[in-house]
Amino acid sequence: MCSFSSEQLPYLFLGFALHPPWPSKRQHQHLRLNIHKRRRAQLQEARRRKRMIILKLTEIKMRNLKLYMENQSIIEENQKLRKQAMLLHKENDVLLFQLQKKLSEQNNSKTN
């Protein structure tokens, strides 16, 4: 049995006869206008996305700059505190030495 019977053949040709393969001049202009509108909308969307990306990058750069500046101030403060701690440690060593010297002098005077 053939899958393409003679009864189906007229319906196939009837379908092609009802819809011409090429659009009319008016339909063609309408299709071109739709394509043009769609392309313009795509371009506008691409421009909008590009602006959003640039805006996001600008925001990221500004945040990065603020964090960098904050980090620099923390580093400076840390250096100041290290110097202060070093001075306090030296002062503590001097005071401890003086105390030990005094205590050894008192022990020596008691034993004499």
Side-chain angles (χ1 to χ4, degrees):
M1 175 176 228
C2 183
S3 63
F4 201 72
S5 70
S6 60
E7 294 175 2
Q8 293 175 341
L9 210 53
Y11 295 112
L12 274 172
F13 290 117
L14 184 60
F16 283 118
L18 292 177
H19 300 290
W22 304 104
S24 68
K25 189 172 185 179
R26 186 174 186 173
Q27 288 173 333
H28 185 68
Q29 287 174 346
H30 184 68
L31 289 173
R32 285 183 59 199
L33 184 62
N34 282 341
I35 291 170
H36 179 69
K37 285 180 182 178
R38 195 175 330 130
R39 179 67 182 143
R40 187 173 25 181
Q42 289 172 346
L43 288 172
Q44 287 175 346
E45 179 64 21
R47 285 188 205 112
R48 187 189 67 78
R49 284 186 187 144
K50 187 176 179 180
R51 281 192 304 268
M52 293 299 293
I53 289 170
I54 290 171
L55 182 64
K56 288 285 184 186
L57 286 175
T58 305
E59 289 174 3
I60 290 170
K61 286 179 182 179
M62 287 301 296
R63 186 169 183 197
N64 191 26
L65 180 61
K66 287 179 183 177
L67 290 172
Y68 173 79
M69 293 181 72
E70 184 179 345
N71 192 26
Q72 290 300 317
S73 67
I74 290 170
I75 289 170
E76 288 175 16
E77 184 68 23
N78 191 16
Q79 289 173 346
K80 289 177 187 176
L81 291 172
R82 281 181 188 267
K83 286 180 184 178
Q84 192 176 19
M86 187 175 63
L87 290 173
L88 289 171
H89 183 69
K90 285 182 181 179
E91 184 181 351
N92 190 24
D93 285 345
V94 169
L95 291 172
L96 184 60
F97 177 74
Q98 289 174 354
L99 181 63
Q100 287 173 349
K101 186 178 176 183
K102 222 177 208 185
L103 288 175
S104 68
E105 286 175 2
Q106 285 178 355
N107 283 341
N108 286 341
S109 67
K110 284 184 181 179
T111 57
N112 286 343

